[in-house]
Amino acid sequence: MPTHGNGNFSGLSLQMYVLVGFEGGLETQALLFAVFLTLYMATVLGNLTMIVVITVDTHLHSPMYFFLKNLSFLDLCYSSVITPKSLANFFSQTKAITFTGCATQFFFFSLLATTETFLLATMAYDHFMAICSPLHYPVIVCPSVCSRLVLGAYCGGCLNSILQTSLTFRLPFCSSNRIDHFFCDVPPLLQIACTNTAINKLVMFSICGLIIVGTTLFVLISYGYITVTILRMHSGAGRHKVFSTCGSHMIAVSLFYGTVFVMYAQPGAVESMQQGKVVSIFYTLVIPMLNPLIYSLWNKDVKKALKRLGWKLVAT
């Protein structure tokens, strides 16, 4: 644990931090609890359903749905890293979290969120290969390549998480033990550090900006080629199918990349924590809940698979 420079805190405060969360009385906390619980239950149900449907339905055993299943797994996990503790804190008097618990929560959140950023770019590459090089697609995007691409996304997420966690939690947090957020994240942690955090801010903005801008450019280039290919298609039905498949992915990418950029890759993000709390709700709860809906409502194959699974459950 970092050394606390002024030694003013008691032994308890050296080991415990307070997640301030949201302001308001008991009614406000109850309302927020209901909202968080509803969003989290929808997230768990939606993503588990996607994972089960893609796993059991052989019609969906293709690279595109392999990546989609991994996306659902990531959404489920990184929402679960944060939400249960947040729900418990709404009616907690102390709202305490240990130093180890805070570091662990941040590490896994950073790992999973960064991995999702890379995975969304990987899904764009999969769409690009399937539409622009359909003859080479089965050979290039084979199961072993899919597994390596997903593993690469996790490795990239792990490297960023290790760097961000080590840089953040080596700081001396001696100015306060109150974290102005509903989970442990870099911006509110930098606010309570009693040392110069310019390097930490620079690293956060640089790495997050590089990841987000880099993957965004990759996605845009991929969809630029896809758009040209679609415009050359003579079949209206083919165009519609491609647009529906790619449209759902572009919505998911825009929502996730947009909110993450606002939170981590713009100057002033560390200082504006009230805005940060609202934005954080979107990428920790709302977007993981919306992704299964986006992909199922826009995808005929998924809807057919859901119907087949429903018939099997009724028949049993």
Side-chain angles (χ1 to χ4, degrees):
M1 182 175 180
T3 302
H4 292 246
N6 59 12
N8 290 336
F9 288 154
S10 65
L12 176 63
S13 61
L14 285 172
Q15 298 296 330
M16 305 295 292
Y17 293 87
V18 176
L19 291 170
V20 175
F22 298 89
E23 297 178 355
L26 186 60
E27 291 184 358
T28 302
Q29 298 301 311
L31 176 61
L32 288 171
F33 176 86
V35 171
F36 269 57
L37 181 61
T38 301
L39 291 173
Y40 182 59
M41 290 178 65
T43 297
V44 172
L45 179 61
N47 286 289
L48 279 179
T49 301
M50 290 294 289
I51 292 171
V52 170
V53 167
I54 294 172
T55 301
V56 302
D57 196 306
T58 56
H59 296 86
L60 301 182
H61 289 180
S62 66
M64 181 176 75
Y65 296 108
F66 172 76
F67 294 129
L68 182 55
K69 182 169 72 171
N70 278 277
L71 178 66
S72 294
F73 175 76
L74 285 171
D75 282 337
L76 177 63
C77 288
Y78 88 73
S79 183
S80 297
V81 167
I82 294 168
T83 312
K85 180 62 176 176
S86 300
L87 289 171
N89 281 347
F90 278 119
F91 298 113
S92 171
Q93 292 183 344
T94 60
K95 299 186 177 182
I97 186 170
T98 64
F99 177 85
T100 302
C102 187
T104 302
Q105 185 186 62
F106 172 73
F107 174 83
F108 282 105
F109 167 72
S110 179
L111 164 64
L112 296 165
T114 308
T115 301
E116 178 154 336
T117 305
F118 288 123
L119 183 62
L120 288 170
T122 302
M123 293 172 72
Y125 169 75
D126 174 65
H127 290 156
F128 162 74
M129 290 301 303
I131 295 168
C132 299
S133 300
L135 297 179
H136 298 96
Y137 178 72
V139 177
I140 296 176
V141 191
C142 60
S144 61
V145 170
C146 292
S147 299
R148 286 197 291 269
L149 287 171
V150 171
L151 179 61
Y154 274 97
C155 289
C158 189
L159 288 174
N160 181 52
S161 182
I162 290 173
L163 178 61
Q164 298 285 0
T165 304
S166 60
L167 283 175
T168 301
F169 286 90
R170 70 177 178 82
L171 294 171
F173 300 121
C174 52
S175 62
S176 173
N177 69 339
R178 294 173 62 82
I179 301 172
D180 189 15
H181 214 317
F182 61 92
F183 70 96
C184 292
D185 201 4
V186 173
L189 286 168
L190 294 184
Q191 286 187 337
I192 64 172
C194 58
T195 187
N196 191 331
T197 59
I199 294 177
N200 296 74
K201 293 177 183 178
L202 179 62
V203 170
M204 183 182 74
F205 294 144
S206 300
I207 294 180
C208 293
L210 180 63
I211 292 173
I212 296 169
V213 172
T215 51
T216 299
L217 286 175
F218 184 84
V219 170
L220 291 176
I221 292 171
S222 298
Y223 277 99
Y225 281 104
I226 289 171
T227 302
V228 172
T229 303
I230 291 174
L231 294 175
R232 292 175 180 173
M233 290 182 176
H234 299 292
S235 171
R239 287 184 182 182
H240 177 74
K241 183 176 181 179
V242 171
F243 270 123
S244 65
T245 301
C246 296
S248 58
H249 183 250
M250 281 303 296
I251 292 174
V253 168
S254 300
L255 288 171
F256 187 78
Y257 283 15
T259 53
V260 171
F261 179 83
V262 169
M263 189 64 192
Y264 300 105
Q266 64 162 344
V270 173
E271 286 74 22
S272 180
M273 285 318 306
Q274 294 305 313
Q275 169 188 291
K277 292 177 188 179
V278 176
V279 174
S280 297
I281 293 174
F282 276 91
Y283 67 78
T284 58
L285 279 169
V286 177
I287 293 175
M289 178 203 68
L290 288 178
N291 278 345
L293 294 175
I294 292 170
Y295 283 101
S296 61
L297 293 176
W298 285 56
N299 193 301
K300 291 183 178 179
D301 293 334
V302 173
K303 287 190 284 188
K304 290 178 181 177
L306 286 170
K307 289 180 180 178
R308 285 193 291 267
L309 180 61
W311 292 335
K312 288 181 181 179
L313 293 174
V314 172
T316 56

